[in-house]
Every structure is written in structure tokens, then in C-alpha cells.
Amino acid sequence: MNRLPRRRPLIAGILSAAVSSLPFGGRSQSRLPDKSLRILVGFAAGGGSELMARVIAPQLERRIGRRVSVQNKPSGADIAAGDLFKRDLGQGLIVAFMPSTTLPTTPTGSPFPFDSQSKLVPLTTAGPFQIAFAVAPRTGIKTFADYVAWVKAEPKERARLGTTATDLYLQTYALMIGRALDVSYQIIPHQGAAPLVEALAEGSVPAGIGSVTTVLEHNFGGEVKILATSGARRAWVLRDIPTLKELGYPGLELQDWYGFFASSASPPEIIAEWNRQLEAVLLDKEVMAALAQLGCDVETCTLAEAAARLAANIEAWTQRMRAVGIKMKN
């Protein structure tokens, strides 16, 4: 089933506008297989990756004249793209849509039942994403400086930091935040934004981190208050929220990217065609506007550029994990 889960009015409106604005004519000639195609989101429903994929899929479907569905990971595990993707390697019928931070955990031996760096090929970036640092409104904290003073006043009681996923990259970034603030955090992972928001409301954690796209609707709904983001510059959709770099923490600048990935066993002409069609869809003005409202400013690239960016990303995260003491696989 690929039914759209319930959304708050904000998110539902974005998705509806993106789909309703799409043209019905003008299909592109495509060399993609003349079969139903899938965009795999290797996470449970409700995350930022799924929201974006459900904006992109209808436009791609209308452009190429083939059925395009979005598939989620049905269980609670966060990193599941590898398990699902393995079944369709080489057919060219499925692409994975996921944050670039999914693959750097491979050196620790966790996410994929195969060597992801040799079996997967990045097709294109979709756009960068930032991490949001948020607190529970019940704390009364208004600014990141207020939070730093607050947590340091009673660190034994207050130094608990939740995450929206069990991904190693969020654990790594949480440790980086702790080092920058000189706070020894108890890191408490959650499987999605909704469980983290519930924990914030209940008071089991006073603060949490997750991608801007994942946390955004809860911020606008008043369930969390975003105090800062991790980007080099402010997110378009959060123009009033400062970056951690602005606030005096340049070492916490962090901006990764969402991207599409295919099997490296797919025919080269199919890989090239996926790149061509996805780039055209991502640069559609209605899709760009919808993704911007979800916290992603579209940025595409060539196959060669995508490969270079992924290699650099994996190296950067390997260094970050080593720096905070995470043991790497030999």
C-alpha cells in the first residue's frame, strides 16, 4: 500500500499543491523500463525523506508516463534501504531516496547486507538538508544561549538529548554538540519525529535533534521550538532561526544532502536516464517550491559530481566518527 499517511494541514497542503499543479500533458520520451517503478524510502512513514519523495513521485510519473510508487520501510528499524533494495538490484526498476548520511555508517558494519559503496551508485543530489536543535515549549527556553545556560545549571538532570532516528550520524552529531558545549549528554534515540515530540511533551527529554524537514511541521504546530540549525546559512523556511555557526559554534556547521541512488548493476544507459529524468523533475518550479517549504532548497548535479560528493561525504563522516570516539570497522 502507498497511501498517504495523515498529515497536519501544513504538510498536507504542500503535498496537495505540488500534485494539483502538475500538468497532465507533455510526457517526456523516456528510456526507463516500461514497467511500474518505485522510489524506496528506507525509513518508517512520516519522516522527511518520505514527505519529499511524495512530492517528487507524482511529477515523475506524469513526466515519464509510468506508474511511480513510494515504498516505506514497514518495521521500526530506521536503516532499511539496503534490505529492501537488495531484492531489486540490477533491474533498474527502483531507486532509493535517502539522506547522504545513511551510507557513511557502513564503515561501522551496520546498515547494508552488501558493500553499499560498490553496489550503489548516486544518481543526483536533490538538495541539502540541515539539522535542527529543538526544545520542548514547556521548558520556556527562548534562545540557544538560554538553553546552554539552562542545561549547564543542572547538567545531571537536564543533559538528555533525544534524536529522531537511531542513525549513527545523529549520535555522532549529538556527541559533537556535547563537546562544543562541554556537556556530557545522555543520548536517547527515537524512531521518528513523532516519538521524539512525545518524549519532549512528557518531559523525558528536554531537547532533541533531527533534520529540519522532519522537525519542521512540529515546530510550526507549536509542539517543539527550534532554537538553531546546523547549516552554513539560514534555511529559507526558517529565516528567523539562527545557525549554530552564527551563534559562535563554527565546529557544529553541518549540511548534508538528500539524494537518489540506483544499483551499480543497472545498465549505464538506465543510470544516465534516471539522472536525466530526476533532474528535470527536481528543477520543476512547483516541485522546487514545495520542497523549499519542506526545508530543502533543490540542488541537482551530474553523475560524476554525485559520485565525488558521496566519496567526500563518507570520508568526512568517517573522520567525525573517529574524532568523537566511535570505533570503526577494520
Side-chain angles (χ1 to χ4, degrees):
M1 296 291 291
N2 289 294
R3 292 182 301 174
L4 183 65
R6 282 186 182 178
R7 303 284 179 215
R8 285 176 171 75
L10 169 71
I11 299 300
I14 292 172
L15 297 176
S16 176
V19 173
S20 64
S21 65
L22 301 179
F24 283 91
R27 288 179 177 172
S28 167
Q29 293 293 322
S30 175
R31 294 187 295 275
L32 292 176
D34 193 13
K35 297 179 180 179
S36 295
L37 306 174
R38 280 184 292 157
I39 297 175
L40 169 65
V41 178
F43 297 83
S49 300
E50 185 212 8
L51 293 174
M52 295 175 63
R54 292 189 183 278
V55 168
I56 295 165
Q59 174 70 306
L60 178 62
E61 181 174 286
R62 296 191 183 201
R63 177 177 171 81
I64 66 176
R66 293 154 176 76
R67 170 67 175 160
V68 179
S69 60
V70 176
Q71 179 180 355
N72 287 97
K73 167 65 176 162
S75 72
D78 282 310
I79 301 177
D83 291 315
L84 295 173
F85 202 67
K86 186 177 181 182
R87 299 192 302 226
D88 296 272
L89 288 176
Q91 297 183 34
L93 303 178
I94 180 172
V95 292
F97 182 69
M98 54 190 175
S100 57
T101 47
T102 299
L103 296 186
T105 56
T106 299
T108 65
S110 56
F112 285 90
F114 52 79
D115 179 5
S116 60
Q117 293 183 51
S118 64
K119 296 295 185 181
L120 298 182
V121 57
L123 296 168
T124 182
T125 58
F129 74 88
Q130 302 184 29
I131 304 299
F133 187 101
V135 295
R138 61 189 295 278
T139 63
I141 296 169
K142 302 298 183 183
T143 69
F144 191 75
D146 291 342
Y147 168 79
V148 174
W150 179 85
V151 73
K152 287 188 173 183
E154 295 184 39
K156 290 184 178 180
E157 296 295 324
R158 297 172 175 175
R160 301 186 308 280
L161 187 64
T163 66
T164 58
T166 59
D167 289 39
L168 197 57
Y169 91 93
L170 281 180
Q171 178 187 340
T172 301
Y173 193 58
L175 291 170
M176 291 169 60
I177 293 172
R179 286 193 171 192
L181 303 185
D182 194 23
V183 172
S184 181
Y185 277 115
Q186 177 187 2
I187 301 169
I188 305 173
H190 297 80
Q191 294 177 343
L196 174 60
V197 170
E198 184 177 347
L200 289 166
E202 293 173 350
S204 58
V205 294
I209 58 174
S211 72
V212 166
T213 304
T214 299
V215 178
L216 191 64
E217 62 172 318
H218 301 285
N219 178 74
F220 289 147
E223 297 163 295
V224 305
K225 180 175 178 59
I226 296 177
L227 300 181
T229 61
S230 68
R233 60 179 184 272
R234 297 188 182 193
W236 178 87
V237 75
L238 293 171
R239 295 182 293 278
D240 296 331
I241 306 299
T243 67
L244 288 163
K245 181 180 179 180
E246 282 182 68
L247 297 174
Y249 300 95
L252 294 180
E253 180 183 328
L254 185 68
Q255 186 165 278
D256 281 272
W257 42 273
Y258 290 103
F260 283 93
F261 299 81
S263 165
S264 59
S266 300
E269 63 272 17
I270 297 299
I271 290 176
E273 182 67 358
W274 270 113
N275 171 269
R276 185 175 76 91
Q277 296 294 351
L278 288 168
E279 180 179 32
V281 168
L282 288 164
L283 294 177
D284 175 88
K285 62 180 182 180
E286 285 83 12
V287 172
M288 291 180 70
L291 293 181
Q293 292 181 67
L294 292 173
C296 176
D297 299 325
V298 169
E299 181 182 308
T300 63
C301 66
T302 66
L303 288 167
E305 290 169 339
R309 289 186 185 186
L310 180 60
N313 181 266
I314 290 174
E315 176 60 25
W317 275 102
T318 298
Q319 296 302 321
R320 291 184 187 117
M321 287 187 281
R322 285 177 175 155
V324 297
I326 294 175
K327 294 182 178 180
M328 308 299 292
K329 183 181 177 182
N330 293 329

